[in-house]
Amino acid sequence: AQCVAMGATHLVVHMGAHPERALGLQRVAAACAAVADAYEQAGVALCLENHYPYDYHGLHELGGDPDDFLAVLEQVNSPAVRFCLDYGHSHMASNTEDFIARLAPWLAYTHIADSLGEHDDHLAAGDGTVDWPTVLRLTLQSGFRGPFTIEFPEQGDPTRFTRFLRLLEAAAD
């Protein structure tokens, strides 16, 4: 109801953490199934965002691997429950290309953030080690056309924004 009142078309959420991965994923699937019809009727995509690798600092975050999403998305099987790709998060696990290849049918939203590959650095595209030409080309080849949501702090420097636009335009060529 709040999404509709705000005019939002997407709600992006993390899957949370759980010390027992399979049980945690079952709970995420049950929660998504419980609300999927309401989101579908409202025309809002509930986008599950990928997060840190499960073993990152012992946090037990769910959603760091494409298999986590497939376990939930295939079980829920709703057009309202979708996927948000955070490139910085997937870069931490070196599985961005796997996410794109396996979850393209559910991809509905992206977070553009770069990293150095170990932590969630939230750097501007091109300030880290994400292979932007490759991952953007693969994302566009999957059929995804946006939204591409820039998630890094601009700090008043528009060159970081225009640099990403150039990367995206080059990937589209």
Side-chain angles (χ1 to χ4, degrees):
Q2 292 298 339
C3 289
V4 173
M6 295 184 314
T9 57
H10 297 76
L11 177 64
V12 178
V13 297
H14 289 186
M15 297 169 107
H18 200 282
E20 296 179 43
R21 191 178 205 160
L23 180 56
L25 292 171
Q26 288 174 353
R27 289 182 175 178
V28 170
C32 289
V35 300
D37 287 344
Y39 276 81
E40 185 176 355
Q41 289 174 10
V44 176
L46 176 61
C47 300
L48 302 174
E49 179 183 344
N50 61 304
H51 213 240
Y52 307 149
Y54 188 74
D55 57 358
Y56 179 77
H57 292 277
L59 296 175
H60 301 120
E61 292 281 346
L62 303 170
D65 185 274
D67 288 333
D68 290 357
F69 287 87
L70 292 172
V72 172
L73 294 167
E74 290 175 347
Q75 182 177 339
V76 175
N77 192 27
S78 167
V81 182
R82 306 298 299 264
F83 171 57
C84 171
L85 175 60
D86 185 306
Y87 294 92
H89 293 166
S90 61
H91 187 54
M92 292 170 63
S94 301
N95 61 5
T96 306
E97 292 181 29
D98 197 26
F99 266 114
I100 295 166
R102 296 177 67 201
L103 293 172
W106 294 277
L107 183 58
Y109 210 84
T110 63
H111 284 166
I112 305 300
D114 211 330
S115 77
L116 299 174
E118 186 177 345
H119 304 291
D120 189 15
D121 301 309
H122 279 259
L123 302 173
D127 285 351
T129 56
V130 170
D131 180 358
W132 290 106
T134 298
V135 299
L136 290 174
R137 179 180 45 78
L138 292 172
T139 302
L140 293 172
Q141 286 176 348
S142 79
F144 182 76
R145 292 298 180 266
F148 290 93
T149 305
I150 296 174
E151 194 181 45
F152 53 84
E154 276 301 303
Q155 301 173 350
D157 182 359
T159 61
R160 290 182 170 119
F161 175 73
T162 56
R163 179 173 55 199
F164 174 73
L165 290 179
R166 285 193 303 272
L167 287 166
L168 187 59
E169 289 167 354
D173 289 339

